[in-house]
Amino acid sequence: MTATDTSPLMSTTILIIFLIVYLGMILGGLPFLQLDRTGVALLGAIALISVNALTVDEALASIHFPTMILLFSFMVLSAQMRLGGFYDWVTDRMAGMPVTPPALLGVLIVVTAALSAVFSNDIVCLAVAPVLVDACRQRKVAPVPFLLALACSANIGSAATLIGNPQNMLIGQTLKLPFDGYFLQAAIPVTLGLFACWALIVWQTAGQWHAPLAASASGDAEAPREAVPFDAWQTGKGLLIAGALLVAFLAAPWPREHMALIGAGILLTSRKLHSRKMLGLIDWELLVLFMSLFVVNHALQRTGLTADAMNYLSGHGMRLEQPGALFGATFLLSNLVSNVPAVMLLLPVVQHEVGGVMLALVSTLSGNLLIVGSIANIIVVDAAARRGIAIDWKRFARVGVPVTLATLAVSGAYLALRF
């Protein structure tokens, strides 16, 4: 294998490619090209290998495969729950509860948070959002407050565990954080954050639960979804594997990714659910995004430019390893380039458990600020639009901004008092 080029010209080339990739992370793509974030990151990784900034072996070695395996395994688990009709069944049961709209909102927030802590926020929103729209119409209540609560509570709830979202998986695997230790530290900020989310939405709605709070989106709405029939056996199998994994994460000494992969293998070994259906529900684009960003970030670190930047910031009084600076940098970067790329950039400066907890909480909770702050937000807004409900950035921000500020204030105060 040819040795990689380490000349100053190559360092400049790597920096240019890195900046283009992260510009794509900010914009969601690149002007004049039909590329999304995944496409931009993948092309960046291809370009780095093509110009000999990294060999193929070096690029593969830069990918953190324990995180990739854990993420893939829980995608399989969530696919099992979707095909078993679990998410449809849960949403329909919630919608049929004989309670007032504020109480129903509280139930939705609690259930969504609990599901997101185990099955990942993006998957939960993808499965629940279309069912929730139809359920709200059947109950003749305005769907927008409930959709906003779904997105916000999914993000908040996913911060409770190290398997709730992709960035938490990466942080937990890289820093070797204890599963139970992290949960105990995150539980109080997450619980208070969920209450703040409920209170803010109830206050903003001001009793207008049956008013048309959102204008119809342009274009024809999709027909009501075809519900996935509830399969008690398939759902029970998924829940059994999920429960076993949680217990194993708490008690077993084996690597989490190994146990999760075994669970995924058991679920794929099915007489009724074809593996094509299961694997068809895997978010392959997210996996490609992760792998590509690992390659891009590793190439930049090899140039020494990141170390130089850290030394420059430290010389001017901004040490990112300190809690206050890390808190602010995580919030800023999470809303500039999205939370997964932000975590990848900041992980190298985190050297202790407290910093890992802060990085996980702040990067996840910051995702509620704007629609583009989290994939879960985009999923909910897109699902609403397909059913004729428009949620623009202003409407989302009316809830997202105060929810983000409230949850970050709670988390910041808790972390300051706790540590």
Side-chain angles (χ1 to χ4, degrees), residues 156 189-190 192-194 196-197 200 327 365-366 368 400-412:
I156 297 170
V190 167
L192 294 176
L194 291 172
C197 176
L200 283 165
F327 192 104
L365 298 177
S366 297
N368 279 329
V401 170
V403 165
T404 301
L405 296 178
T407 53
L408 286 177
V410 167
S411 299

Side-chain angles (χ1 to χ4, degrees), residues 8-32:
L9 178 60
M10 178 56 69
S11 295
T12 303
T13 302
I14 292 172
L15 178 60
I16 291 172
I17 293 173
F18 173 86
L19 293 175
I20 291 174
V21 168
Y22 274 83
L23 177 64
M25 297 300 103
I26 294 172
L27 300 178
L30 292 177
F32 312 113

Side-chain angles (χ1 to χ4, degrees), residues 89-403:
W89 178 79
V90 168
T91 309
D92 286 335
R93 289 293 296 269
M94 280 193 299
M97 295 178 67
V99 296
T100 63
L104 180 62
L105 186 78
V107 172
L108 172 67
I109 287 174
V110 171
V111 172
T112 299
L115 292 176
S116 298
V118 179
F119 299 113
S120 182
N121 57 343
D122 298 347
I123 301 297
V124 170
C125 287
L126 186 65
V128 171
V131 189
L132 182 62
V133 172
D134 295 340
C136 287
R137 284 175 170 165
Q138 291 173 5
R139 285 189 64 131
K140 295 181 171 54
V141 295
V144 172
F146 292 91
L147 288 167
L148 295 175
L150 171 66
C152 291
S153 61
N155 289 324
I156 297 170
S158 73
T161 68
L162 292 174
I163 57 173
N165 55 57
Q167 64 269 18
N168 277 21
M169 292 184 189
L170 175 59
I171 294 167
Q173 292 294 98
T174 303
L175 299 179
K176 308 296 184 185
L177 298 183
F179 192 83
D180 53 344
Y182 174 82
F183 173 76
L184 292 174
Q185 293 168 9
I188 292 178
V190 167
T191 301
L192 294 176
L194 291 172
F195 176 77
C197 176
W198 174 83
L200 283 165
I201 294 177
V202 170
W203 174 69
Q204 286 192 358
T205 305
Q208 301 299 311
W209 296 101
H210 300 280
L213 297 181
S216 295
S218 58
D220 296 329
E222 282 186 355
R225 87 216 183 272
E226 184 177 345
V228 179
F230 179 70
D231 187 321
W233 166 247
Q234 299 299 339
T235 295
K237 187 164 65 171
L239 290 175
L240 179 63
I241 294 295
L245 287 176
L246 291 178
V247 172
F249 289 170
L250 292 171
W254 308 303
R256 288 196 284 264
E257 66 274 11
H258 290 189
M259 296 184 287
L261 192 59
I262 291 171
I266 293 173
L267 293 176
L268 286 169
T269 309
S270 174
R271 293 187 300 109
K272 292 186 177 181
L273 294 182
H274 199 288
S275 60
R276 185 182 300 111
K277 289 185 177 180
M278 298 278 284
L279 296 177
L281 293 175
I282 300 300
D283 191 346
W284 297 106
E285 288 194 13
L286 180 60
L287 295 176
V288 171
L289 174 65
F290 254 74
M291 291 188 288
S292 301
L293 288 176
F294 276 125
V295 174
V296 172
N297 289 343
H298 177 70
L300 184 69
Q301 289 171 7
R302 280 184 42 148
T303 65
L305 293 173
T306 53
D308 292 342
M310 291 296 298
N311 291 333
Y312 175 82
L313 291 173
S314 297
H316 288 76
M318 185 176 180
R319 299 177 61 86
L320 290 181
E321 64 270 20
Q322 293 179 345
L326 180 62
F327 192 104
T330 304
F331 172 74
L332 180 63
L333 286 174
S334 294
N335 282 287
L336 279 177
V337 299
S338 188
N339 40 31
V340 168
V343 165
M344 287 189 173
L345 284 174
L346 293 172
L347 257 178
V349 307
V350 178
Q351 305 297 331
H352 49 81
E353 182 178 330
V354 177
V357 174
M358 177 178 292
L359 185 60
L361 283 173
V362 177
S363 64
T364 301
L365 298 177
S366 297
N368 279 329
L369 189 73
L370 301 171
I371 291 176
V372 296
S374 166
I375 298 298
N377 302 343
I378 298 172
I379 289 171
V380 170
V381 171
D382 286 349
R386 287 195 297 271
R387 278 165 171 72
I389 300 169
I391 304 177
D392 60 17
W393 70 271
K394 291 182 181 178
R395 181 67 184 92
F396 190 95
R398 280 182 54 199
V399 169
V401 170
V403 165

Side-chain angles (χ1 to χ4, degrees), residues 58-71:
E58 288 169 340
L60 288 173
S62 71
I63 298 171
H64 195 262
F65 280 101
T67 300
M68 303 305 303
I69 291 171
L70 189 66
L71 186 55

